[in-house]
Amino acid sequence: MNNDASRELPLCPERLQGAAREAWERFSQELADCGVGTQLDSAALELLCESYAAHVEAAAQVLKLGAVWVERQEPGELPKFTHSPYWVIQKNEHKKLVALLTEFGMTPSSRSRVQAAPKSDALDEFLTKYTG
């Protein structure tokens, strides 16, 4: 029985758009080049791409609007400072990204713990079948 098809990531889900779709194309190619990633990993990859897109979008807003906002106060009161909601999103997505990237061996420290599934090719299958 040939399980090569299950060793490959599926095509990008239709619902991923914009930065998430671009992340899928990038990450799935990088994983394929390293021999990592199967159909079983598609849900985790989808989460990685969604988190990456949310992080990128939030980071762009933080760059544009700043990480700290000044809350309006009544005249004569001292100003209150608060984190931008975009900064909060960026920070939360950063944590998720590190965890998901680690799962795929896409960080320097985690890379040594992830092993690629050996790929078989037609010659290997032929030799196995006819030489025992």
Side-chain angles (χ1 to χ4, degrees):
M1 184 172 143
N2 186 348
N3 288 330
D4 285 342
S6 67
R7 292 184 181 195
E8 297 176 7
L9 288 164
L11 296 176
C12 182
E14 287 296 320
R15 68 178 204 80
L16 292 184
Q17 298 297 316
R21 179 168 283 279
E22 291 170 14
W24 179 282
E25 299 304 329
R26 176 182 155 200
F27 292 141
S28 65
Q29 185 61 54
E30 290 171 351
L31 291 168
D33 290 348
C34 294
V36 177
T38 69
Q39 296 231 358
L40 291 173
D41 302 318
S42 62
L45 181 58
E46 194 171 336
L47 292 173
L48 170 63
C49 295
E50 289 173 334
S51 185
Y52 180 81
H55 183 272
V56 168
E57 291 166 11
Q61 291 299 316
V62 168
L63 186 62
K64 179 179 172 183
L65 303 171
V68 177
W69 291 2
V70 179
E71 292 183 7
R72 291 185 185 181
Q73 299 297 319
E74 297 294 322
E77 291 185 19
L78 293 174
K80 285 187 177 179
F81 298 92
T82 186
H83 289 289
S84 153
Y86 299 112
W87 181 85
V88 174
I89 292 168
Q90 182 184 8
K91 179 181 167 190
N92 290 338
E93 294 304 324
H94 180 269
K95 288 179 184 177
K96 286 191 236 175
L97 275 174
V98 170
L100 288 163
L101 288 169
T102 300
E103 288 294 320
F104 283 103
M106 296 173 79
T107 63
S109 65
S110 68
R111 196 169 298 120
S112 64
R113 295 188 302 262
V114 174
Q115 296 197 3
K119 290 187 176 184
S120 67
D121 59 19
L123 178 59
D124 286 339
E125 290 177 19
F126 176 82
L127 292 173
T128 302
K129 183 176 181 180
Y130 293 103
T131 61

